[in-house]
């Protein structure tokens, strides 16, 4: 078979962070996040371009397009291969869309999703995958085009493609996972020509914001997280030179001035952070770009936030997770409540904003744990917050814990960590957790001080004021549900 055209897409429906592996949240149900750029598809597209294979990408959710729009585009483009990205929450609906597409034209269908990472047999068998030819559970950038190359060369040894499932005699076969020998620097930059970059914006100003993958992998062992499972426990840093070159490409060729540095552990290596920041300051981008980064509260050197601020960083996001020392130990965070407070203080003293992520609903938690976390949220007082309800994703230690506790009474598939949880806890029902989450979010955002701070922040910036108002409207609408 000769593959000449590949159709890349995100399905219609609610916006989910489909390009993320560990974070598959429903953007519409979040408090302050916006949709991140589809780097997973853009990386594949740039590799297809190198091989002269025609490809298109459409994000039907972000463009607010319908299933009929998708079918019409699919028929008109008439691809040889279809590649889409799914989440644990949306997979059943996504598979229905694939079925409808295949009824219109028979071609090769590839589906990527973290749910397929070393997926157990019972999970594979529970899903209607008869219309899918390949499942990608590992890093898509190192597998999707590899699959297409083998098809084009009439090769059948898909076992050598890392992190996938393929069919052999109508049975699903697992290839080798845990293979992280490839480096991000080896990849061409994501193809931003096929992306409508304005759809992926900075949440406070509404300006286009590109995602820059700065590293892969995480040495931590947090029980709820998929990152070490999918990308390994070794942090694979991208070279500062390559990062600067991609930033320059975005700025000069796509007029993008705002960036999200995608890395679970951006500040883990102070020397590397310093190299990246010094690279920006020595480049033509000095004082021209702004960016945000995820970080861990530990390790974090005192001068790191100051260095980041000087290079254009305006916000650092931390997974504070909890106000309970017991929970902090049980989730294997490798940090303490005092570490949370120290990191928050260092960042604020450097003149940066903070985005705090918190997690409740772990199997052992009761009302006392919730009160500890609520107190900690107000103690840290982040500029933006997200409050997640724990979902025990397949492949995490949390899944095993929830199973042992007898809490997996409904399937994980179809769950959303902003809604009623899959499991509840030994002491709290899913409904109690959801009700508590809404109450605390309202209490946090309705404070006169919080509102006044946002008014001051947007006093001279009309666009920022409008975006704050939009997020407030979305938040309070979600809390009424």
């Amino acid at each position: 078979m000769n593959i000449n055209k590949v159709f890349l897409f995100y399905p219609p429906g609610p916006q989910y962070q489909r390009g993320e592996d560990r974070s598959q949240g429903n953007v519409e149900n979040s408090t302050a996040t916006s949709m991140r750029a589809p780097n997973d598809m853009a990386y594949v597209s740039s590799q297809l371009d190198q091989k002269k294979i025609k490809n298109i990408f459409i994000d039907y959710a972000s463009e607010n397009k319908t299933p009929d729009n998708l079918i019409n585009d699919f028929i008109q483009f008439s691809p040889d291969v279809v590649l889409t990205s799914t989440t644990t929450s949306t997979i059943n609906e996504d598979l229905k869309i694939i079925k409808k597409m295949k009824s219109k034209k028979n071609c090769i269908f590839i589906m990527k999703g973290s749910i397929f990472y070393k997926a157990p047999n019972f999970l594979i068998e529970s899903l209607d995958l008869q219309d899918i030819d390949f499942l990608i559970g590992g890093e898509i950038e190192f597998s999707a085009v590899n699959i297409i190359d083998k098809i084009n060369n009439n090769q059948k040894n898909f076992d050598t493609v890392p992190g996938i499932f393929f069919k052999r005699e109508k049975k699903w076969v697992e290839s080798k996972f845990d293979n992280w020998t490839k480096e991000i620097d080896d990849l061409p930059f994501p193809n931003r020509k096929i992306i409508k970059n304005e759809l992926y914006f900075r949440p406070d100003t509404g300006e286009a914001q590109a995602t820059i993958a700065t590293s892969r992998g995480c040495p931590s062992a947090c029980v709820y997280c998929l990152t070490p499972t999918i990308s390994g426990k070794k942090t694979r840093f991208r070279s500062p030179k390559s990062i600067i070159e991609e930033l320059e490409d975005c700025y000069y060729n796509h007029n993008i001035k705002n960036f999200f540095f995608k890395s679970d552990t951006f500040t883990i290596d102070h020397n590397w952070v310093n190299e990246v920041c010094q690279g920006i300051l020595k480049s033509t981008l000095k004082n021209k770009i702004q960016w945000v980064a995820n970080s861990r509260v530990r390790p974090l050197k005192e001068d790191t936030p100051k260095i980041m601020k000087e290079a254009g960083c305006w916000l650092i996001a931390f997974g504070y997770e909890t106000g309970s020392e017991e929970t902090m130990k049980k989730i294997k965070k490798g940090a303490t409540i005092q570490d949370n407070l120290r990191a928050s203080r260092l960042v604020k003293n450097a003149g940066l904003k903070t985005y705090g992520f918190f997690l409740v609903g772990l199997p052992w938690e009761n009302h006392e744990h919730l009160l500890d976390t609520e107190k900690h949220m107000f103690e840290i007082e982040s500029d933006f917050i997200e409050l997640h309800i724990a979902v025990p994703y397949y492949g995490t230690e949390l899944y095993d814990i929830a199973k042992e506790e007898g809490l997996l009474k409904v399937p994980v598939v179809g769950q959303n960590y902003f809604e009623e949880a899959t499991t509840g806890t030994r002491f709290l029902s899913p409904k109690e957790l959801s009700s508590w989450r809404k109450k605390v979010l309202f209490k946090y955002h309705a404070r006169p001080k919080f509102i006044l701070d946002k008014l001051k922040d947007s006093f001279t910036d009309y666009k920022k004021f409008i975006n704050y108002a939009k997020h407030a409207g979305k938040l309070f609408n979600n809390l009424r549900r």
Side-chain angles (χ1 to χ4, degrees):
M1 180 179 181
N2 192 25
I3 295 174
N4 297 305
K5 293 191 291 184
V6 178
F7 183 47
L8 313 166
F9 77 97
Y10 283 177
Q15 283 186 316
Y16 278 80
Q17 301 288 19
R18 293 176 182 268
E20 305 287 340
D21 293 317
R22 67 169 181 84
S23 175
Q24 308 169 14
N26 184 329
V27 174
E28 295 171 23
N29 287 356
S30 71
T31 58
T33 57
S34 58
M35 189 70 175
R36 295 187 189 128
N39 277 28
D40 55 345
M41 297 297 169
Y43 268 120
V44 173
S45 175
S46 61
Q47 294 174 75
L48 291 172
D49 279 357
Q50 288 182 335
K51 296 178 179 298
K52 310 299 182 185
I53 297 175
K54 186 176 181 180
N55 62 92
I56 61 171
F57 168 75
I58 302 175
D59 182 347
Y60 289 90
S62 296
E63 293 192 45
N64 200 28
K65 290 188 173 183
T66 67
D68 287 340
N69 295 141
L70 167 59
I71 295 300
N72 290 336
D73 292 336
F74 169 63
I75 293 173
Q76 183 175 355
F77 187 62
S78 189
D80 305 301
V81 172
V82 172
L83 173 61
T84 191
S85 183
T86 191
T87 72
T88 302
S89 301
T90 64
I91 185 167
N92 287 322
E93 294 304 314
D94 297 341
L95 288 171
K96 290 177 184 177
I97 290 173
I98 294 294
K99 182 175 290 293
K100 189 172 182 180
M101 294 173 71
K102 199 147 192 175
S103 71
K104 302 294 182 181
K105 182 182 187 299
N106 188 26
C107 57
I108 295 170
F109 283 82
I110 305 173
M111 179 173 274
K112 166 253 180 180
S114 60
I115 190 173
F116 303 126
Y117 190 90
K118 286 188 175 180
N121 289 334
F122 76 86
L123 174 59
I124 296 290
E125 293 171 359
S126 71
L127 299 169
D128 183 8
L129 298 172
Q130 61 178 334
D131 299 308
I132 308 296
D133 299 285
F134 297 91
L135 302 170
I136 298 177
E139 295 179 324
I140 188 173
E141 301 89 341
F142 302 111
S143 56
V145 177
N146 200 339
I147 292 171
I148 291 171
D149 279 344
K150 289 186 178 298
I151 296 172
N152 268 337
N153 294 322
N154 198 31
Q155 297 176 352
K156 303 297 183 181
N157 58 330
F158 296 108
D159 321 61
T160 62
V161 181
I164 71 167
F165 283 85
F166 61 97
K167 289 178 179 176
R168 179 180 289 158
E169 297 178 355
K170 298 183 178 181
K171 291 185 178 181
W172 286 105
V173 178
E174 179 180 335
S175 76
K176 182 179 180 181
F177 284 74
D178 303 340
N179 183 355
W180 303 293
T181 59
K182 301 291 185 180
E183 299 298 335
I184 313 174
D185 281 8
D186 296 336
L187 296 168
F189 298 153
N191 182 9
R192 292 186 169 87
K193 292 179 181 178
I194 64 162
I195 297 175
K196 293 187 176 181
N197 295 296
E198 68 276 8
L199 295 175
Y200 313 100
F201 50 83
R202 179 172 155 170
D204 62 334
T205 65
E207 299 170 291
Q209 176 175 276
T211 295
I212 307 292
T214 58
S215 71
R216 299 279 176 87
C218 178
S220 301
C222 303
V223 301
Y224 52 82
C225 186
L226 281 165
T227 294
T229 301
I230 294 174
S231 294
K233 288 184 174 294
K234 178 185 176 182
T235 303
R236 291 173 286 154
F237 293 103
R238 189 171 168 191
S239 69
K241 178 177 181 292
S242 177
I243 293 172
I244 304 305
E245 288 175 351
E246 185 175 349
L247 290 171
E248 289 175 335
D249 175 66
C250 290
Y251 184 88
Y252 291 109
N253 296 326
H254 302 284
N255 195 32
I256 301 175
K257 304 173 184 178
N258 295 277
F259 302 92
F260 167 64
F261 285 3
K262 183 182 176 184
S263 171
D264 288 271
T265 55
F266 186 80
T267 58
I268 197 170
D269 186 324
H270 175 79
N271 292 331
W272 176 81
V273 171
N274 188 57
E275 283 188 58
V276 172
C277 292
Q278 290 304 318
I280 293 173
L281 292 170
K282 292 176 182 178
S283 75
T284 59
L285 299 177
K286 180 180 179 180
N287 298 327
K288 293 179 180 179
I289 65 171
Q290 290 192 308
W291 49 277
V292 304
N294 289 333
S295 176
R296 291 179 58 83
V297 299
R298 182 177 179 183
L300 181 66
K301 288 199 172 184
E302 288 198 14
D303 60 340
T304 299
K306 296 177 183 177
I307 293 169
M308 293 169 65
K309 166 77 171 177
E310 187 180 357
C313 181
W314 69 275
L315 177 146
I316 300 181
F318 290 107
Y320 298 117
E321 314 306 356
T322 179
S324 163
E325 289 288 10
E326 178 194 359
T327 292
M328 195 73 91
K329 291 177 182 177
K330 287 187 174 180
I331 63 176
K332 301 181 180 179
K333 186 69 179 179
T336 66
I337 303 304
Q338 287 304 312
D339 289 328
N340 284 351
L341 294 172
R342 174 184 176 273
S344 177
R345 183 179 68 254
L346 291 177
V347 169
K348 290 181 179 181
N349 288 344
L352 295 166
K353 295 184 184 298
T354 60
Y355 199 144
F357 289 82
F358 296 87
L359 180 70
V360 297
L362 295 145
W364 55 85
E365 290 196 317
N366 55 35
H367 282 291
E368 185 176 342
H369 294 92
L370 299 188
L371 291 175
D372 286 341
T373 296
E374 179 180 349
K375 177 184 176 182
H376 198 44
M377 288 170 58
F378 284 85
E379 185 178 31
I380 290 176
E381 201 171 20
S382 295
D383 298 280
F384 308 94
I385 63 168
E386 294 289 355
L387 182 52
H388 296 167
I389 300 175
V391 174
Y393 291 120
Y394 295 111
T396 65
E397 187 177 343
L398 180 59
Y399 177 84
D400 297 330
I401 295 170
K403 186 176 181 180
E404 289 175 6
E405 296 282 355
L407 294 171
L408 292 177
K409 298 173 183 176
V410 296
V412 176
V413 172
Q415 302 304 312
N416 171 6
Y417 56 51
F418 290 130
E419 298 294 333
E420 289 188 8
T422 304
T423 61
T425 77
R426 294 200 304 267
F427 310 100
L428 301 166
S429 70
K431 188 173 183 180
E432 285 177 302
L433 288 168
S434 180
S435 176
W436 178 85
R437 174 182 179 271
K438 291 179 180 181
K439 180 188 73 173
V440 172
L441 285 176
F442 180 84
K443 184 177 178 181
Y444 190 91
H445 290 92
R447 290 174 297 145
K449 183 181 183 305
F450 183 88
I451 296 171
L452 183 60
D453 286 345
K454 290 295 175 284
L455 289 173
K456 288 180 179 178
D457 189 36
S458 61
F459 183 72
T460 59
D461 191 329
Y462 177 74
K463 288 183 179 179
K464 188 178 287 189
F465 177 81
I466 293 298
N467 278 287
Y468 279 154
K470 286 180 179 178
H471 280 289
K474 181 184 76 169
L475 171 64
F476 291 114
N477 182 57
N478 287 338
L479 297 182
R480 286 202 306 267
R481 294 176 183 173

